[in-house]
Amino acid sequence: MQPGSPSLCVLGELVVDLLPVPEAGAGPEGTAPQYVARPGGNALNVAVAAGRLGAPVRLLARLGTGPLAVSLRRHAELAGVDTTGFVAADEPISLAVVGVGPDGSPDYGFHVLGAADWQWTDDELARVRPADVGAVHVGSISSWTEPGSTAIAGLVDRLSGEALISVDPNIRPMLADGPVGATLGNDRAAVTRRLDALVARADLVKVSAEDLAWLEPGTTDLDDAVLRWAERGPALVVLTDGGAPLRIARPGGSVLRREIPRVDVVDTVGAGDSLAAGLLTGLLDAGLTTRAALAGAPDEQLLALVDDAALVAALNCTRVGADPPTRAELDAAR
């Protein structure tokens, strides 16, 4: 990335992930599993992954209270992320307790009531918004939970046409619906409506098969789904489906597929975030920082960028938690 290049602006939550330590056991009675606290959250993961790849990236986040706040900031700074977009918040930091299945897939338990992440105001965002944005990435809990989701939607409206808008729904079902979701003011209809508005404004959407299963219950034809999403407003849609090939669609086009690199998976925490960061970094590096440039790029160029992004995600999966590769590690893996 050249000095003075347009920056990536990532907007969203900071979360402390409690990850199990399987080799530590759970005590003689099996009731005391050990966990390690690691920095996490969609926005922090994307920003750190992009920073490690050399992108100029600024993270806009509400940094809540608690003894781990210093660790979250330091994690971002060590990756070269600009943290001047942090807002000091009085609310607590969010906590996610993570379980890992036999295939490495994560299961989450969230402790988020009254947390800092989604309490954004228009005034806060106006204060921390940078002037040299090439792309802005939003999504996950803060983008579909009030009151912050309204402020985020307003910022997206203002930046639309000035910078690439990237959206990742990153649905967490228990926070989006049901009793826990209700405590946050969320239900299926409200979350879907808020995301519909963001997708309509987006230039790039990264969506998972799991997201689709929640947003469009009963969807079985993923080819049809990715084509439909490409007609909703985005210039490019990338659909992930675990270890299955990526599906890529553009308005008026056909479904393109790319294989995922095969690696020894430790877990998949942060894989989608790493993929998004890899793709956004590649777009910025290629100078594709306007919708017109993205729409006009040939399939071959975009598929090469998607392949790189998939490799970033695969390398992340070879390590515990969200731990994306550096630029040097990516170059070596190619």
Side-chain angles (χ1 to χ4, degrees), residues 18-22 35 97-109 264-269 317 319-321:
L18 289 184
L19 292 164
V21 184
Y35 288 82
V97 182
V98 185
V100 179
D103 62 349
S105 60
D107 180 29
Y108 294 93
D264 293 327
V265 174
V266 174
D267 66 47
T268 62
V269 177
C317 292
R319 305 192 279 216
V320 174

Side-chain angles (χ1 to χ4, degrees), residues 97-170:
V97 182
V98 185
V100 179
D103 62 349
S105 60
D107 180 29
Y108 294 93
F110 292 98
H111 301 266
V112 298
L113 188 61
D117 305 287
W118 36 84
Q119 310 291 338
W120 283 107
T121 67
D122 289 333
D123 288 343
E124 286 174 339
L125 285 177
R127 289 202 308 270
V128 298
R129 170 190 167 183
D132 58 343
V133 182
V136 59
H137 176 80
V138 302
S140 197
I141 305 162
S142 56
S143 71
W144 39 259
T145 300
E146 291 285 26
S149 59
T150 294
I152 290 171
L155 180 66
V156 167
D157 284 343
R158 290 188 290 276
L159 288 175
S160 181
E162 298 179 19
L164 282 182
I165 305 297
S166 169
V167 173
D168 179 359
N170 201 32

Side-chain angles (χ1 to χ4, degrees), residues 305-318:
L305 296 179
V306 169
D307 285 343
D308 252 12
L311 182 55
V312 173
L315 293 173
N316 175 86
C317 292
T318 65

